[in-house]
Protein backbone atom coordinates (compact mmCIF):
# COMPACT_ATOMS: atom_id res chain seq x y z
CA UNK A 1 0.00 0.00 0.00
CA UNK A 2 1.51 3.27 -1.07
CA UNK A 3 -0.98 5.52 0.68
CA UNK A 4 0.44 4.81 4.11
CA UNK A 5 3.66 6.56 3.08
CA UNK A 6 2.08 9.48 1.27
CA UNK A 7 2.05 12.94 2.72
CA UNK A 8 0.53 16.07 1.24
CA UNK A 9 1.92 19.46 2.17
CA UNK A 10 -0.71 22.12 2.75
CA UNK A 11 0.28 25.76 2.37
CA UNK A 12 -2.28 28.06 3.98
CA UNK A 13 -2.54 30.66 6.76
CA UNK A 14 -5.94 30.27 8.35
CA UNK A 15 -6.22 27.37 10.82
CA UNK A 16 -9.76 26.47 9.74
CA UNK A 17 -8.72 26.45 6.09
CA UNK A 18 -5.75 24.25 6.95
CA UNK A 19 -8.11 21.82 8.69
CA UNK A 20 -10.54 21.83 5.74
CA UNK A 21 -7.75 21.16 3.26
CA UNK A 22 -6.32 18.45 5.50
CA UNK A 23 -9.72 16.76 5.39
CA UNK A 24 -9.45 16.64 1.56
CA UNK A 25 -6.28 14.62 2.04
CA UNK A 26 -6.88 12.44 5.09
CA UNK A 27 -10.21 11.18 3.73
CA UNK A 28 -8.12 9.12 1.28
CA UNK A 29 -5.83 7.78 4.01
CA UNK A 30 -2.93 10.12 3.21
CA UNK A 31 -1.05 12.16 5.79
CA UNK A 32 -1.33 15.95 5.83
CA UNK A 33 1.27 18.47 7.01
CA UNK A 34 0.37 22.15 7.04
CA UNK A 35 2.58 25.24 7.08
CA UNK A 36 1.98 28.93 6.52
CA UNK A 37 3.34 29.22 2.98
CA UNK A 38 6.35 28.70 0.76
CA UNK A 39 8.64 30.72 3.01
CA UNK A 40 7.57 29.00 6.24
CA UNK A 41 9.85 26.01 5.76
CA UNK A 42 13.62 26.14 6.05
CA UNK A 43 14.06 22.45 5.36
CA UNK A 44 11.95 19.42 4.68
CA UNK A 45 12.54 15.89 5.90
CA UNK A 46 10.13 14.12 3.55
CA UNK A 47 8.98 14.34 -0.05
CA UNK A 48 5.34 15.37 -0.29
CA UNK A 49 3.32 13.68 -3.00
CA UNK A 50 1.17 16.77 -3.49
CA UNK A 51 1.32 20.46 -2.60
CA UNK A 52 -2.13 21.74 -1.75
CA UNK A 53 -2.42 25.52 -1.74
CA UNK A 54 -5.04 27.43 0.20
CA UNK A 55 -6.60 30.59 -1.16
CA UNK A 56 -4.80 32.64 1.53
CA UNK A 57 -1.35 31.14 0.94
CA UNK A 58 1.24 33.93 0.76
CA UNK A 59 3.27 33.80 -2.43
CA UNK A 60 7.05 34.18 -2.50
CA UNK A 61 8.61 37.48 -3.38
CA UNK A 62 9.02 37.47 -7.16
CA UNK A 63 12.18 39.55 -6.94
CA UNK A 64 13.93 37.30 -4.42
CA UNK A 65 15.96 34.19 -5.18
CA UNK A 66 13.74 31.11 -5.49
CA UNK A 67 13.02 29.65 -2.06
CA UNK A 68 14.34 26.16 -1.37
CA UNK A 69 10.82 24.71 -1.30
CA UNK A 70 10.11 26.13 -4.73
CA UNK A 71 13.28 24.52 -6.08
CA UNK A 72 12.51 21.27 -4.26
CA UNK A 73 9.04 21.09 -5.81
CA UNK A 74 10.46 21.67 -9.27
CA UNK A 75 13.30 19.21 -8.87
CA UNK A 76 11.03 16.42 -7.60
CA UNK A 77 8.23 17.35 -10.02
CA UNK A 78 5.67 17.39 -7.23
CA UNK A 79 2.17 18.20 -8.46
CA UNK A 80 0.49 21.34 -7.14
CA UNK A 81 -3.21 21.69 -6.55
CA UNK A 82 -4.17 25.32 -6.22
CA UNK A 83 -7.33 27.40 -6.05
CA UNK A 84 -8.06 28.96 -9.41
CA UNK A 85 -7.32 32.50 -8.19
CA UNK A 86 -3.64 31.55 -7.71
CA UNK A 87 -3.37 30.74 -11.41
CA UNK A 88 -0.83 33.38 -12.48
CA UNK A 89 1.93 32.66 -9.97
CA UNK A 90 1.83 28.88 -9.94
CA UNK A 91 1.63 28.49 -13.69
CA UNK A 92 4.64 30.72 -14.13
CA UNK A 93 6.73 29.02 -11.45
CA UNK A 94 5.78 25.34 -11.68
CA UNK A 95 5.05 22.82 -14.39
CA UNK A 96 2.64 20.27 -12.91
CA UNK A 97 -0.17 22.53 -11.73
CA UNK A 98 -3.90 21.83 -11.42
CA UNK A 99 -6.76 23.97 -10.15
CA UNK A 100 -9.79 23.42 -7.99
CA UNK A 101 -12.91 25.53 -7.63
CA UNK A 102 -14.05 24.23 -4.25
CA UNK A 103 -13.07 21.76 -1.53
CA UNK A 104 -15.27 18.99 -2.91
CA UNK A 105 -13.47 19.17 -6.24
CA UNK A 106 -10.11 19.36 -4.47
CA UNK A 107 -10.93 16.18 -2.55
CA UNK A 108 -11.67 14.33 -5.77
CA UNK A 109 -8.50 15.56 -7.45
CA UNK A 110 -6.15 14.76 -4.56
CA UNK A 111 -6.40 10.99 -5.00
CA UNK A 112 -5.25 10.73 -8.61
CA UNK A 113 -2.45 13.28 -8.31
CA UNK A 114 -1.04 11.71 -5.17
CA UNK A 115 -1.09 8.20 -6.63
CA UNK A 116 0.47 9.44 -9.85
CA UNK A 117 3.35 11.07 -7.96
CA UNK A 118 3.79 8.04 -5.72
CA UNK A 119 4.30 5.90 -8.83
CA UNK A 120 6.87 8.34 -10.17
CA UNK A 121 8.62 8.59 -6.79
CA UNK A 122 8.79 4.81 -6.46
CA UNK A 123 10.22 4.52 -9.94
CA UNK A 124 12.84 7.16 -9.15
CA UNK A 125 13.77 5.39 -5.92
CA UNK A 126 14.21 2.15 -7.84
CA UNK A 127 16.48 3.90 -10.32
CA UNK A 128 18.43 5.41 -7.46
CA UNK A 129 18.84 1.98 -5.86
CA UNK A 130 20.00 0.57 -9.19
CA UNK A 131 22.60 3.33 -9.48
CA UNK A 132 23.99 2.32 -6.11
CA UNK A 133 25.25 -0.85 -7.75
CA UNK A 134 27.74 1.35 -9.58
CA UNK A 135 29.78 1.62 -6.39
CA UNK A 136 30.82 -1.99 -6.96
CA UNK A 137 32.26 -1.18 -10.36
CA UNK A 138 35.93 -2.07 -10.64
CA UNK A 139 36.25 -1.86 -14.40
CA UNK A 140 33.90 -1.03 -17.24
CA UNK A 141 34.00 -0.41 -21.01
CA UNK A 142 31.58 1.80 -22.92
CA UNK A 143 31.16 2.71 -26.59
CA UNK A 144 29.14 5.59 -27.96
CA UNK A 145 28.83 7.54 -31.15
CA UNK A 146 25.95 10.04 -30.85
CA UNK A 147 25.65 13.24 -28.84
CA UNK A 148 22.63 11.96 -26.94
CA UNK A 149 24.58 8.88 -25.90
CA UNK A 150 27.47 11.08 -24.73
CA UNK A 151 25.08 13.17 -22.66
CA UNK A 152 23.46 10.11 -21.10
CA UNK A 153 26.80 8.54 -20.19
CA UNK A 154 28.07 11.78 -18.68
CA UNK A 155 24.89 12.02 -16.64
CA UNK A 156 25.26 8.44 -15.38
CA UNK A 157 28.89 8.68 -14.35
CA UNK A 158 28.52 12.14 -12.83
CA UNK A 159 25.47 11.15 -10.81
CA UNK A 160 27.76 9.49 -8.30
CA UNK A 161 30.09 12.41 -7.67
CA UNK A 162 29.61 15.03 -4.95
CA UNK A 163 29.64 17.99 -7.37
CA UNK A 164 27.64 16.05 -9.87
CA UNK A 165 26.52 18.96 -12.04
CA UNK A 166 30.02 20.31 -12.52
CA UNK A 167 31.39 16.86 -13.21
CA UNK A 168 28.52 16.20 -15.60
CA UNK A 169 29.48 19.38 -17.38
CA UNK A 170 33.14 18.36 -17.66
CA UNK A 171 32.33 14.84 -18.81
CA UNK A 172 29.79 16.11 -21.33
CA UNK A 173 32.39 18.42 -22.81
CA UNK A 174 35.08 15.77 -23.13
CA UNK A 175 32.68 13.17 -24.56
CA UNK A 176 31.12 15.60 -27.04
CA UNK A 177 34.56 16.82 -28.10
CA UNK A 178 35.57 13.23 -28.84
CA UNK A 179 32.57 12.82 -31.14
CA UNK A 180 32.56 16.11 -32.99
CA UNK A 181 36.26 17.01 -33.12
CA UNK A 182 37.60 13.46 -33.06
CA UNK A 183 35.26 11.12 -34.88
CA UNK A 184 33.51 13.63 -37.12
CA UNK A 185 36.51 15.85 -37.83
CA UNK A 186 34.65 19.11 -37.19
CA UNK A 187 37.30 21.69 -36.28
CA UNK A 188 36.74 24.55 -33.87
CA UNK A 189 36.51 27.25 -36.55
CA UNK A 190 34.17 25.08 -38.59
CA UNK A 191 31.97 24.40 -35.59
CA UNK A 192 31.71 28.08 -34.85
CA UNK A 193 30.72 28.77 -38.42
CA UNK A 194 28.13 25.97 -38.44
CA UNK A 195 26.62 27.18 -35.19
CA UNK A 196 26.48 30.76 -36.42
CA UNK A 197 24.47 29.47 -39.39
CA UNK A 198 22.28 27.37 -37.09
CA UNK A 199 23.16 24.15 -38.95
CA UNK A 200 25.64 22.57 -36.53
CA UNK A 201 23.40 19.69 -35.44
CA UNK A 202 22.33 19.07 -39.03
CA UNK A 203 25.96 18.72 -40.04
CA UNK A 204 26.69 16.40 -37.10
CA UNK A 205 23.78 14.18 -38.12
CA UNK A 206 24.75 14.30 -41.80
CA UNK A 207 28.28 13.12 -41.06
CA UNK A 208 27.12 10.46 -38.65
CA UNK A 209 24.95 8.99 -41.41
CA UNK A 210 27.72 8.86 -44.00
CA UNK A 211 31.10 7.21 -44.55
CA UNK A 212 33.78 7.28 -43.28
CA UNK A 213 32.22 8.61 -40.05
CA UNK A 214 29.26 6.25 -39.86
CA UNK A 215 31.02 3.35 -38.19
CA UNK A 216 33.23 5.41 -35.85
CA UNK A 217 32.73 5.03 -32.15
CA UNK A 218 34.25 6.60 -29.06
CA UNK A 219 35.57 4.08 -26.54
CA UNK A 220 35.63 4.73 -22.82
CA UNK A 221 37.40 2.55 -20.30
CA UNK A 222 36.80 3.15 -16.62
CA UNK A 223 38.50 1.48 -13.69
CA UNK A 224 39.13 1.98 -10.00
CA UNK A 225 42.70 2.55 -8.87
CA UNK A 226 44.22 4.01 -5.71
CA UNK A 227 40.91 5.38 -4.49
CA UNK A 228 40.15 7.13 -7.76
CA UNK A 229 37.99 6.41 -10.76
CA UNK A 230 40.24 6.53 -13.80
CA UNK A 231 38.96 6.97 -17.33
CA UNK A 232 40.55 6.53 -20.74
CA UNK A 233 38.72 7.96 -23.75
CA UNK A 234 39.69 7.10 -27.32
CA UNK A 235 38.27 8.57 -30.51
CA UNK A 236 39.05 7.90 -34.16
CA UNK A 237 40.40 11.37 -34.96
CA UNK A 238 43.88 12.78 -35.43
CA UNK A 239 44.05 14.41 -31.99
CA UNK A 240 44.84 18.06 -31.34
CA UNK A 241 47.32 20.24 -29.51
CA UNK A 242 45.81 20.45 -26.10
CA UNK A 243 48.78 22.07 -24.41
CA UNK A 244 47.93 25.56 -25.58
CA UNK A 245 44.68 25.38 -23.64
CA UNK A 246 46.41 24.41 -20.41
CA UNK A 247 49.49 26.60 -20.68
CA UNK A 248 47.92 29.84 -19.51
CA UNK A 249 44.76 31.72 -18.72
CA UNK A 250 42.05 31.47 -21.33
CA UNK A 251 40.47 34.76 -22.24
CA UNK A 252 36.73 34.32 -21.83
CA UNK A 253 35.99 37.06 -24.32
CA UNK A 254 37.50 34.82 -26.99
CA UNK A 255 35.41 31.86 -25.86
CA UNK A 256 32.44 32.61 -28.00
CA UNK A 257 30.46 29.66 -29.33
CA UNK A 258 33.06 26.96 -28.84
CA UNK A 259 36.19 26.52 -26.82
CA UNK A 260 34.59 26.88 -23.44
CA UNK A 261 34.45 23.11 -23.17
CA UNK A 262 38.18 22.81 -22.54
CA UNK A 263 37.99 25.22 -19.64
CA UNK A 264 35.05 23.36 -18.13
CA UNK A 265 37.00 20.11 -18.34
CA UNK A 266 39.78 21.77 -16.36
CA UNK A 267 37.48 23.15 -13.68
CA UNK A 268 34.84 20.48 -13.31
CA UNK A 269 36.61 18.08 -10.96
CA UNK A 270 38.37 16.06 -13.64
CA UNK A 271 41.97 15.53 -12.59
CA UNK A 272 45.24 14.31 -14.06
CA UNK A 273 44.13 15.05 -17.62
CA UNK A 274 46.71 13.64 -20.01
CA UNK A 275 46.63 13.30 -23.76
CA UNK A 276 48.40 10.26 -25.14
CA UNK A 277 49.71 9.05 -28.47
CA UNK A 278 48.69 11.23 -31.37
CA UNK A 279 46.32 13.12 -29.13
CA UNK A 280 43.18 11.10 -29.77
CA UNK A 281 43.42 9.34 -26.42
CA UNK A 282 42.88 11.20 -23.19
CA UNK A 283 43.12 9.88 -19.65
CA UNK A 284 41.69 11.57 -16.60
CA UNK A 285 40.34 10.73 -13.18
CA UNK A 286 38.04 11.88 -10.43
CA UNK A 287 37.72 11.07 -6.76
CA UNK A 288 36.59 7.47 -6.32
CA UNK A 289 36.11 7.94 -2.58
CA UNK A 290 33.56 10.68 -3.10
CA UNK A 291 31.80 8.50 -5.60
CA UNK A 292 31.37 5.82 -2.94
CA UNK A 293 30.11 8.26 -0.33
CA UNK A 294 27.63 9.76 -2.70
CA UNK A 295 26.22 6.39 -3.68
CA UNK A 296 24.97 6.09 -0.10
CA UNK A 297 23.60 9.62 0.00
CA UNK B 1 14.31 22.83 -21.49
CA UNK B 2 11.16 24.84 -20.99
CA UNK B 3 10.78 28.57 -21.26
CA UNK B 4 8.26 31.30 -20.68
CA UNK B 5 8.38 34.75 -22.25
CA UNK B 6 6.73 37.66 -20.49
CA UNK B 7 6.51 41.36 -21.30
CA UNK B 8 6.23 44.28 -18.94
CA UNK B 9 6.23 47.65 -20.69
CA UNK B 10 9.71 47.94 -22.22
CA UNK B 11 11.06 44.79 -20.60
CA UNK B 12 11.00 41.29 -22.08
CA UNK B 13 11.87 38.42 -19.77
CA UNK B 14 12.64 34.90 -20.94
CA UNK B 15 12.69 32.47 -18.03
CA UNK B 16 14.41 29.19 -18.81
CA UNK B 17 13.92 26.05 -16.72
CA UNK B 18 15.30 22.50 -16.83
CA UNK B 19 18.56 21.82 -18.70
CA UNK B 20 19.93 24.03 -21.47
CA UNK B 21 22.24 21.82 -23.54
CA UNK B 22 23.17 20.95 -27.07
CA UNK B 23 19.87 19.07 -27.34
CA UNK B 24 17.97 22.35 -27.16
CA UNK B 25 19.53 24.07 -30.16
CA UNK B 26 16.47 24.12 -32.38
CA UNK B 27 13.91 24.97 -29.72
CA UNK B 28 16.07 27.71 -28.24
CA UNK B 29 16.63 29.37 -31.60
CA UNK B 30 12.85 29.53 -32.05
CA UNK B 31 12.56 31.07 -28.58
CA UNK B 32 15.34 33.54 -29.37
CA UNK B 33 13.58 34.63 -32.55
CA UNK B 34 10.34 35.05 -30.63
CA UNK B 35 12.03 37.24 -28.00
CA UNK B 36 13.81 39.36 -30.59
CA UNK B 37 10.55 40.12 -32.34
CA UNK B 38 8.86 41.50 -29.22
CA UNK B 39 8.48 45.25 -28.87
CA UNK B 40 10.49 45.98 -25.72
CA UNK B 41 14.03 47.35 -25.86
CA UNK B 42 15.47 45.40 -22.89
CA UNK B 43 15.69 41.64 -22.55
CA UNK B 44 16.44 39.75 -19.35
CA UNK B 45 17.43 36.09 -19.55
CA UNK B 46 16.21 34.64 -16.27
CA UNK B 47 18.37 31.62 -15.38
CA UNK B 48 17.46 31.55 -11.71
CA UNK B 49 15.44 28.34 -12.16
CA UNK B 50 17.71 26.64 -14.66
CA UNK B 51 19.07 23.30 -13.39
CA UNK B 52 21.98 22.69 -15.73
CA UNK B 53 23.83 24.34 -18.59
CA UNK B 54 26.69 23.08 -20.77
CA UNK B 55 28.96 24.99 -23.11
CA UNK B 56 26.54 24.51 -26.01
CA UNK B 57 23.86 26.06 -23.79
CA UNK B 58 26.10 29.04 -23.14
CA UNK B 59 26.56 29.35 -26.88
CA UNK B 60 22.80 29.44 -27.27
CA UNK B 61 22.59 32.37 -24.84
CA UNK B 62 24.93 34.21 -27.20
CA UNK B 63 22.63 33.38 -30.10
CA UNK B 64 19.79 34.99 -28.17
CA UNK B 65 21.97 38.00 -27.48
CA UNK B 66 22.83 38.37 -31.17
CA UNK B 67 19.22 38.07 -32.27
CA UNK B 68 18.24 40.76 -29.75
CA UNK B 69 21.07 43.10 -30.62
CA UNK B 70 20.14 42.87 -34.28
CA UNK B 71 16.79 44.34 -33.20
CA UNK B 72 18.50 46.96 -31.00
CA UNK B 73 17.59 45.32 -27.71
CA UNK B 74 19.98 45.22 -24.77
CA UNK B 75 20.43 41.87 -23.03
CA UNK B 76 21.30 40.99 -19.44
CA UNK B 77 21.12 37.85 -17.29
CA UNK B 78 19.54 36.96 -13.98
CA UNK B 79 21.97 34.21 -12.96
CA UNK B 80 20.39 32.77 -9.81
CA UNK B 81 22.65 31.33 -7.14
CA UNK B 82 23.23 27.63 -7.73
CA UNK B 83 25.29 25.43 -10.00
CA UNK B 84 24.40 27.39 -13.12
CA UNK B 85 25.76 30.57 -11.52
CA UNK B 86 28.95 28.67 -10.74
CA UNK B 87 29.30 27.68 -14.40
CA UNK B 88 28.69 31.27 -15.49
CA UNK B 89 31.30 32.48 -13.02
CA UNK B 90 33.86 29.85 -14.00
CA UNK B 91 33.56 30.86 -17.63
CA UNK B 92 33.44 34.58 -16.74
CA UNK B 93 30.37 34.71 -18.92
CA UNK B 94 29.36 38.00 -17.38
CA UNK B 95 31.92 39.63 -19.65
CA UNK B 96 29.82 38.48 -22.61
CA UNK B 97 26.33 39.02 -21.21
CA UNK B 98 26.19 41.22 -18.10
CA UNK B 99 24.30 40.27 -14.98
CA UNK B 100 21.19 42.27 -14.30
CA UNK B 101 21.83 45.32 -12.10
Amino acid sequence: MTSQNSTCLILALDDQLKADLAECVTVHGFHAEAVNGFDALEEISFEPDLILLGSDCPLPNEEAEPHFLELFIRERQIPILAPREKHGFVVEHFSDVHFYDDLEQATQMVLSFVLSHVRMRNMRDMMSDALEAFKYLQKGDFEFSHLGEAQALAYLIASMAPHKKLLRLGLTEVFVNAIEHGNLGIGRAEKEQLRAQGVWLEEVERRQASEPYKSRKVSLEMWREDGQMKLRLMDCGDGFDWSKYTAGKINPVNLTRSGRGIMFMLKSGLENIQYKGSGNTVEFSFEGKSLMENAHG
Amino acid sequence: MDYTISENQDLITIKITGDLTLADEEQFRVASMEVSEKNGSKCIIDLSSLDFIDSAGLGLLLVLKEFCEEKNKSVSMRPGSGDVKEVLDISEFESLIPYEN
Side-chain angles (χ1 to χ4, degrees):
Chain A
M1 287 290 289
T2 53
S3 62
Q4 295 305 310
N5 297 321
S6 295
T7 301
C8 299
L9 184 63
I10 294 165
L11 306 182
L13 282 178
D14 180 70
D15 287 341
Q16 185 57 52
L17 180 57
K18 281 178 184 163
D20 291 343
L21 291 171
E23 178 67 20
C24 301
V25 170
T26 55
V27 70
H28 300 294
F30 306 136
H31 298 294
E33 295 276 342
V35 295
N36 285 343
F38 286 92
D39 298 336
L41 278 176
E42 291 303 321
E43 58 182 5
I44 192 163
S45 59
F46 63 95
E47 178 174 336
D49 286 311
L50 178 74
I51 306 295
L52 184 51
L53 260 61
S55 54
D56 64 353
C57 172
L59 300 177
N61 179 359
E62 295 262 11
E63 300 301 318
E65 293 292 327
H67 185 263
F68 104 90
L69 181 59
E70 191 181 328
L71 297 175
F72 185 77
I73 291 169
R74 282 203 293 251
E75 183 192 339
R76 303 298 175 99
Q77 297 178 290
I78 302 168
I80 294 188
L81 191 50
R84 203 164 294 283
E85 59 264 36
K86 297 286 187 191
H87 185 279
F89 171 83
V90 287
V91 163
E92 189 173 327
H93 287 252
F94 303 102
S95 54
D96 191 7
V97 180
H98 311 272
F99 297 99
Y100 63 86
D101 292 314
D102 53 44
L103 292 176
E104 186 181 347
Q105 191 183 23
T107 304
Q108 292 168 1
M109 295 169 84
V110 161
L111 182 63
S112 61
F113 292 125
V114 167
L115 292 181
S116 171
H117 188 260
V118 166
R119 278 193 292 275
M120 194 186 77
R121 180 162 56 83
N122 287 342
M123 200 174 299
R124 196 180 58 223
D125 289 347
M126 282 169 58
M127 289 298 295
S128 176
D129 290 346
L131 270 181
E132 273 216 47
F134 227 60
K135 71 185 177 184
Y136 307 121
L137 179 78
Q138 296 299 316
K139 189 177 188 313
D141 296 333
F142 301 89
E143 275 190 345
F144 58 93
S145 53
H146 291 85
L147 299 178
E149 294 164 359
Q151 285 184 302
L153 189 56
Y155 205 160
L156 172 71
I157 295 172
S159 67
M160 290 161 291
H163 299 291
K164 58 180 84 171
K165 288 186 182 173
L166 268 185
L167 189 65
R168 177 186 168 192
L169 178 62
L171 291 171
T172 300
E173 303 304 335
V174 71
F175 294 171
V176 168
N177 275 350
I179 292 175
E180 62 178 6
H181 299 313
N183 282 8
L184 302 182
I186 300 175
R188 297 193 171 276
E190 188 181 7
K191 179 179 177 180
E192 187 152 335
Q193 193 179 6
L194 290 168
R195 292 205 67 182
Q197 295 166 352
V199 294
W200 169 61
L201 278 181
E202 274 177 47
E203 180 61 17
V204 166
E205 287 168 7
R206 189 191 68 75
R207 292 194 192 196
Q208 283 181 320
S210 46
E211 298 296 350
Y213 311 105
K214 196 174 174 180
S215 55
R216 292 182 177 177
K217 290 187 180 297
V218 178
S219 302
L220 176 69
E221 297 172 18
M222 187 168 160
W223 68 98
R224 190 181 299 279
E225 185 179 310
D226 299 331
Q228 287 197 311
M229 291 312 299
K230 301 212 168 186
L231 298 93
R232 181 185 295 128
L233 190 74
M234 289 164 283
D235 63 54
C236 303
D238 299 326
F240 74 108
D241 181 10
W242 209 73
S243 58
K244 65 182 178 184
Y245 292 97
T246 56
K249 182 175 166 59
I250 303 168
N251 182 354
V253 178
N254 292 333
L255 299 173
T256 49
R257 288 193 184 79
S258 60
R260 255 175 259 104
I262 303 294
M263 183 166 52
F264 289 141
M265 282 167 60
L266 295 172
K267 298 190 175 183
S268 65
L270 299 182
E271 300 172 333
N272 307 312
I273 302 170
Q274 287 185 315
Y275 274 78
K276 304 266 177 157
S278 64
N280 68 344
T281 298
V282 58
E283 292 184 359
F284 48 93
S285 60
F286 62 86
E287 271 301 319
K289 185 182 173 190
S290 301
L291 185 152
M292 294 283 286
E293 286 169 354
N294 197 64
H296 291 289
Chain B
M1 177 203 73
D2 286 313
Y3 66 89
T4 54
I5 298 171
S6 56
E7 294 176 271
N8 186 357
Q9 296 179 339
D10 200 33
L11 186 66
I12 311 153
T13 302
I14 175 166
K15 186 183 181 83
I16 308 167
T17 57
D19 294 354
L20 183 60
T21 72
L22 53 88
D24 302 303
E25 175 101 15
E26 195 173 331
Q27 190 189 5
F28 195 81
R29 282 179 180 273
V30 171
S32 299
M33 188 66 74
E34 191 181 340
V35 168
S36 70
E37 287 171 356
K38 299 284 183 190
N39 287 326
S41 68
K42 293 177 187 171
C43 172
I44 291 179
I45 308 171
D46 185 350
L47 304 176
S48 60
S49 300
L50 190 65
D51 291 324
F52 179 76
I53 190 166
D54 65 9
S55 66
L58 292 177
L60 289 173
L61 297 182
L62 294 177
V63 169
L64 171 57
K65 182 190 178 201
E66 274 181 24
F67 280 18
C68 285
E69 287 180 344
E70 279 172 14
K71 297 289 176 76
N72 298 315
K73 299 182 198 313
S74 65
V75 181
S76 59
M77 285 186 299
R78 189 174 294 158
S81 58
D83 299 296
V84 169
K85 169 79 162 40
E86 194 173 352
V87 171
L88 295 170
D89 289 344
I90 284 173
S91 59
E92 299 179 37
F93 205 71
E94 191 183 5
S95 63
L96 300 171
I97 302 178
Y99 293 159
E100 180 189 17
N101 289 324

Coordinates of all heavy atoms in Angstrom, one line a residue, chain A residues 166 249 262-270 273, chain B residues 86 89-92:
Chain A
L166 N 28.8 19.8 -11.9 CA 30.0 20.3 -12.5 C 30.7 19.2 -13.2 O 31.3 19.3 -14.3 CB 30.9 20.9 -11.4 CG 30.8 22.4 -11.2 CD1 31.8 22.9 -10.2 CD2 30.9 23.2 -12.5
K249 N 46.2 31.3 -18.9 CA 44.8 31.7 -18.7 C 44.0 31.9 -20.1 O 44.6 32.4 -21.0 CB 44.7 33.1 -18.0 CG 43.3 33.6 -17.6 CD 43.5 34.8 -16.8 CE 42.1 35.6 -16.7 NZ 41.1 34.7 -16.2
I262 N 36.9 23.1 -23.1 CA 38.2 22.8 -22.5 C 38.3 23.4 -21.1 O 38.7 22.7 -20.2 CB 39.3 23.4 -23.4 CG1 39.2 22.9 -24.9 CG2 40.7 23.1 -22.8 CD1 39.4 21.5 -25.0
M263 N 37.9 24.6 -21.0 CA 38.0 25.2 -19.6 C 37.1 24.5 -18.6 O 37.5 24.3 -17.5 CB 37.6 26.7 -19.7 CG 37.7 27.4 -18.4 SD 37.6 29.2 -18.7 CE 36.1 29.3 -19.6
F264 N 35.9 24.1 -19.1 CA 35.1 23.4 -18.1 C 35.7 22.0 -17.7 O 35.5 21.6 -16.6 CB 33.7 23.1 -18.7 CG 32.9 24.4 -18.9 CD1 32.1 24.7 -19.9 CD2 32.9 25.4 -17.9 CE1 31.4 25.8 -20.0 CE2 32.2 26.5 -17.9 CZ 31.4 26.8 -19.0
M265 N 36.3 21.4 -18.7 CA 37.0 20.1 -18.3 C 38.0 20.4 -17.2 O 38.1 19.6 -16.3 CB 37.7 19.6 -19.6 CG 36.9 18.9 -20.6 SD 37.8 18.6 -22.1 CE 39.1 17.6 -21.6
L266 N 38.7 21.5 -17.3 CA 39.8 21.8 -16.4 C 39.2 22.1 -15.0 O 39.9 21.9 -14.0 CB 40.6 22.9 -16.9 CG 41.4 22.7 -18.1 CD1 42.0 24.0 -18.6 CD2 42.5 21.7 -17.9
K267 N 38.0 22.6 -14.9 CA 37.5 23.1 -13.7 C 36.3 22.3 -13.1 O 35.7 22.8 -12.2 CB 37.1 24.6 -13.9 CG 38.2 25.5 -14.2 CD 37.9 27.0 -14.2 CE 39.1 27.8 -14.5 NZ 38.8 29.2 -14.4
S268 N 36.1 21.2 -13.7 CA 34.8 20.5 -13.3 C 35.1 19.4 -12.3 O 34.1 18.7 -11.9 CB 34.2 19.8 -14.6 OG 35.1 18.9 -15.1
G269 N 36.3 19.2 -11.9 CA 36.6 18.1 -11.0 C 37.4 17.0 -11.6 O 37.7 16.0 -11.0
L270 N 37.5 17.0 -12.9 CA 38.4 16.1 -13.6 C 39.8 16.4 -13.3 O 40.3 17.5 -13.4 CB 38.1 16.1 -15.2 CG 36.7 15.8 -15.6 CD1 36.6 15.8 -17.1 CD2 36.3 14.4 -15.1
I273 N 44.5 15.2 -16.2 CA 44.1 15.0 -17.6 C 45.4 14.9 -18.5 O 46.3 15.8 -18.4 CB 43.3 16.3 -18.1 CG1 42.0 16.4 -17.2 CG2 42.9 16.2 -19.5 CD1 41.3 17.7 -17.4
Chain B
E86 N 27.6 29.1 -10.9 CA 29.0 28.7 -10.7 C 29.6 28.5 -12.1 O 30.7 28.9 -12.4 CB 29.0 27.4 -9.9 CG 30.5 27.0 -9.5 CD 30.5 25.9 -8.5 OE1 29.4 25.4 -8.1 OE2 31.6 25.4 -8.3
D89 N 30.1 31.8 -13.6 CA 31.3 32.5 -13.0 C 32.6 31.9 -13.5 O 33.6 32.6 -13.8 CB 31.2 32.4 -11.5 CG 30.1 33.3 -10.9 OD1 29.6 34.2 -11.7 OD2 29.7 33.1 -9.8
I90 N 32.6 30.5 -13.6 CA 33.9 29.9 -14.0 C 34.3 30.3 -15.4 O 35.4 30.6 -15.7 CB 33.6 28.3 -14.0 CG1 33.7 27.7 -12.6 CG2 34.7 27.6 -14.9 CD1 33.3 26.3 -12.6
S91 N 33.3 30.5 -16.2 CA 33.6 30.9 -17.6 C 33.6 32.4 -17.8 O 33.8 32.9 -18.9 CB 32.5 30.3 -18.6 OG 31.2 30.7 -18.2
E92 N 33.5 33.1 -16.7 CA 33.4 34.6 -16.7 C 32.5 35.1 -17.8 O 32.8 36.0 -18.6 CB 34.9 35.1 -17.0 CG 35.8 34.7 -15.8 CD 37.2 35.2 -16.1 OE1 37.4 36.3 -16.6 OE2 38.2 34.5 -15.7

